[in-house]
Amino acid sequence: MTTPVTDGRVWLITGATSGFGRALTEAVLHQGDIVAGAGRTISRLDDLRAAYPDQLFPVVLDVTDTARDAAVVDETAQRFGRLDVLVNNAGRTQVGALEETTDAEMRVLFELHYFAPAALTKAALPHMRRQGGGWVVQLSSVGGQITAPGFGAYCA
């Protein structure tokens, strides 16, 4: 089903169900743009879906599923005829001394904070090139610049 958009922008926001992603989703909807709001528990967007039924399209997405990442990007661009803004926002913290952090925990962090945004961006760029432009917004943490005790794995 294609719903071409003529006014405003089309956004795909990951981690749209809480924190910065939720706040950004609310702001974008308030300005009149369309949001494909991605998250693992999209029922958290039910109130916004009721308030903005023609603008918010919740999408179930665990961004560490890179095959699904590409499908969601393609579905969004196909449904609305374009994808103007990709916001790589999904993330979480990890607290604990580095030597106490398991390899599995570290791999999950890198899948979530590095490989998932890379996969989403790789999927979005062909659409943006075809349409002549777009924006990729990468949310990060001050932890990428400095660290504190107990945050070594997260800050890596």
Side-chain angles (χ1 to χ4, degrees):
M1 174 168 116
T2 302
T3 309
V5 176
T6 56
D7 295 327
R9 292 186 178 110
V10 175
W11 298 63
L12 172 55
I13 301 174
T14 67
T17 59
S18 65
F20 288 126
R22 168 71 185 223
L24 181 59
T25 297
E26 290 175 4
V28 169
L29 291 169
H30 182 72
Q31 75 182 17
D33 288 351
I34 291 188
V35 176
R40 292 175 298 168
T41 310
I42 60 170
S43 61
R44 293 178 178 175
L45 296 173
D46 286 351
D47 61 323
L48 291 179
R49 179 74 170 127
Y52 299 95
D54 297 327
Q55 291 172 252
L56 177 63
F57 299 88
V59 179
V60 175
L61 178 64
D62 175 342
V63 296
T64 63
D65 179 352
T66 55
R68 178 85 176 117
D69 290 344
V72 166
V73 168
D74 291 345
E75 290 164 10
T76 300
Q78 204 169 29
R79 177 178 193 147
F80 301 108
R82 65 179 200 256
L83 173 61
D84 299 303
V85 185
L86 167 64
V87 179
N88 286 313
N89 168 68
R92 70 169 184 82
T93 192
Q94 173 80 27
V95 180
L98 186 61
E99 67 272 15
E100 297 169 349
T101 305
T102 68
D103 287 349
E105 289 170 325
M106 290 192 56
R107 290 183 193 288
V108 166
L109 285 174
F110 275 83
E111 289 294 330
L112 177 59
H113 295 145
Y114 179 77
F115 291 106
L120 284 154
T121 301
K122 286 172 64 172
L125 288 175
H127 295 287
M128 291 177 177
R129 284 192 182 105
R130 224 178 351 268
Q131 68 197 29
W135 295 269
V136 176
V137 179
Q138 179 65 43
L139 271 70
S140 186
S141 166
V142 70
Q145 306 260 334
I146 59 171
T147 190
F151 290 90
Y154 172 76
C155 292

